[in-house]
Each structure stands twice: as C-alpha cells, then as structure tokens.
Amino acid sequence: MIIAIDGPSGAGKSTVAKAVAKKMGFSCLDTGAMYRAVAWRGIQDGIALEDAEALGEIARTCPISFGHVEGDPVPRRVFIDGQEITEAIRTAEIDRAVSPVSAIPSVREALVDQQRRIGSEGNYVIEGRDIGTVVFPQAEVKIFLTASDEERAHRRVRQNVDRGVGHIDYDVVLEDLRQRDKRDSSRATSPLKPAEDAHHIDSTDQYIEDVIEEICSLAEAAGAVRPKAQE
Ligand code: DC
C-alpha cells in the first residue's frame, strides 16, 4: 500500500509521514530530500542552477540513499554518492536552490523513476508535492496536508531553534516560504496541487497526534492492518 502525503513546505508532512509510518509499520520516503540532494551536489560541483543538462545528469547518475540511526526504524539519514548530507541539505542556501532545481524536467524524470522503484518494494508512506498526482496516482490513500502561511513560518523558525541552526527572522522565513510555494505551484512540470481524490487536512489548529491518527484510520479503512504492538 502507498500512503501519499503532499502539500506545501512546513505543513508538517515530514513529522506526520514518519509517525504514520512508525504506527502502521510502513517504510517511509522523503522525496524532498532527494531534490535537496541533487541541489546540494550541483552547488558542490559549481553548477549553475539553470544548467538543466548538468543537474539532470546528477539526478540520473549519483545514487541517493537513506539510512537509519541505530534503534530508529525511520530512515532519517540521507546520502549521495555514499557521502552523508543529512544536515547539509537543511540550510537556507539549499532551501532557496532546491525550488529551481526541482522544476527541471530531466531532474524530475530521474527522481520519479527512483521513487517508483523504491515505492514498489512494499508498504510506504511517501511525502512530497506530486506523489498522489504523478508518482503514484494509484496510491490507496492520498493526503493533501496544509497549514496557514503564518503557522508554517512559525514552525520553521522553531525547527531551526531546535536544530541549533541559530535564529532566523520570522518575516524572512514567511517571505521565502511564500516565494517557494508560488514557484512550486506554478511550475510547468508536476506543479504542487492536490489530487482530485485527495483528503484535505488543514493542520493549522490541530494537534499533530490527531492528524496522524486520522491518516492511520484512513489507511485502515483502505485495508492496512496496524501492527498489534502499536495499538
Ligand atoms: O519537502 P521539502 O521542503 O524538503 O522539498 C524541497 C523542494 O523540493 C521543494 O521546493 C519542492 C521540491 N519537491 C518537489 O518538487 N517534488 C517532490 N515530490 C518533493 C519536493
């Protein structure tokens, strides 16, 4: 079974996807991390963000993989060409670079191929922007997760403080986030939009535990069986 979770940045997709995967005993795939990995590698190699050919080549040829921290079933570690980039892809520089990189059709084609291959291996929660519309249009459960712009910016600021990345200005975060949403929603290839049959969940005023439980219930209604130990 595939549980597709799409939505704009900061809506809570990562937290929710990882928790649903844990509760349901599914694997989980963060497709945004794959676009970030290509952007990171492009910057390392001194490639211009408009160089579609070179970035497409990276997406086709540099293997991206995920790994576990010991004792954690969720694969939080990210690698490209065997090099760990878990923290390196979460900087403001990558936040800005990843949007244009993810709009390049050859990059998307290569990564979508990999995502389909990974997802076909078993039960997966997959988070991204186009999972329910393009990557797995046949997904059994499709969620479009949103939150207000202001709430998403607040969450991003808090996340940075928690990560010890330092203080970032709320207004700058809000503006960056709106710019990125606009680019992600208006690009020609696989723009961010809800699938027609997606369940819309607005997490602005909801406890995250309730959102997680709602998605687990939808998965159960679609035939998934929750592992006994988690009930
Ligand atoms: O979820 P995230 O913020 O880590 O995603 C990083 C960027 O990648 C974001 O600007 C949109 C893009 N993305 C995409 O185009 N398609 C996906 N399936 C996932 C992410």
Side-chain angles (χ1 to χ4, degrees):
M1 175 182 288
I2 299 288
I3 302 175
I5 305 183
D6 292 303
S9 50
K13 294 189 304 293
S14 281
T15 308
V16 167
K18 290 179 171 83
V20 169
K22 249 183 186 173
K23 284 199 163 189
M24 299 305 297
F26 279 32
S27 301
C28 119
L29 177 63
D30 172 0
T31 61
M34 300 173 79
Y35 291 95
R36 287 172 181 271
V38 173
W40 179 86
R41 183 58 196 261
I43 290 172
Q44 293 301 304
D45 294 354
I47 292 167
L49 296 178
E50 306 77 50
D51 191 341
E53 205 175 310
L55 290 161
E57 180 72 10
I58 290 177
R60 274 192 302 278
T61 58
C62 299
I64 299 168
S65 56
F66 294 85
H68 297 261
V69 175
E70 220 183 293
D72 184 354
V74 172
R76 292 176 204 275
R77 301 174 70 193
V78 188
F79 301 81
I80 188 162
D81 268 338
Q83 183 176 355
E84 179 155 17
I85 51 168
T86 309
E87 301 295 333
I89 58 170
R90 303 291 166 190
T91 63
E93 185 188 18
I94 301 294
D95 277 354
R96 276 189 289 273
V98 66
S99 213
V101 170
S102 69
I104 298 171
S106 58
V107 170
R108 300 203 71 82
E109 212 177 290
L111 295 188
V112 166
D113 268 358
Q114 294 183 39
Q115 291 156 17
R116 288 190 178 135
R117 217 173 313 128
I118 296 169
S120 66
E121 289 165 4
N123 291 327
Y124 262 90
V125 181
I126 308 186
E127 55 149 316
R129 303 292 190 289
D130 59 341
I131 309 306
T133 50
V134 174
V135 185
F136 283 104
Q138 77 284 18
E140 287 85 348
V141 180
K142 296 183 190 178
I143 308 296
F144 197 75
L145 187 65
T146 56
S148 72
D149 296 357
E150 293 77 10
E151 175 62 20
R152 293 188 291 127
H154 277 302
R155 287 179 192 171
R156 189 46 56 91
V157 171
R158 279 200 299 269
Q159 233 172 41
N160 267 44
V161 171
D162 290 348
R163 280 199 193 118
V165 179
H167 177 74
I168 40 167
D169 189 67
Y170 168 81
D171 291 316
V172 174
V173 174
L174 182 63
E175 188 47 36
D176 268 7
L177 196 130
R178 285 179 170 155
Q179 290 291 338
R180 194 139 68 95
D181 285 354
K182 202 162 139 200
R183 275 198 305 266
D184 292 344
S185 308
S186 60
R187 68 180 176 223
T189 314
S190 311
L192 167 67
K193 64 166 188 204
E196 270 175 27
D197 50 351
H199 298 270
H200 290 246
I201 302 179
D202 183 338
S203 71
T204 309
D205 297 317
Q206 288 208 61
Y207 288 116
I208 210 74
E209 290 75 17
D210 292 342
V211 174
I212 293 161
E213 192 45 47
E214 184 178 350
I215 299 173
C216 290
S217 300
L218 287 167
E220 286 180 312
V225 178
R226 199 184 300 223
K228 282 224 157 31
Q230 302 291 343
E231 274 170 3

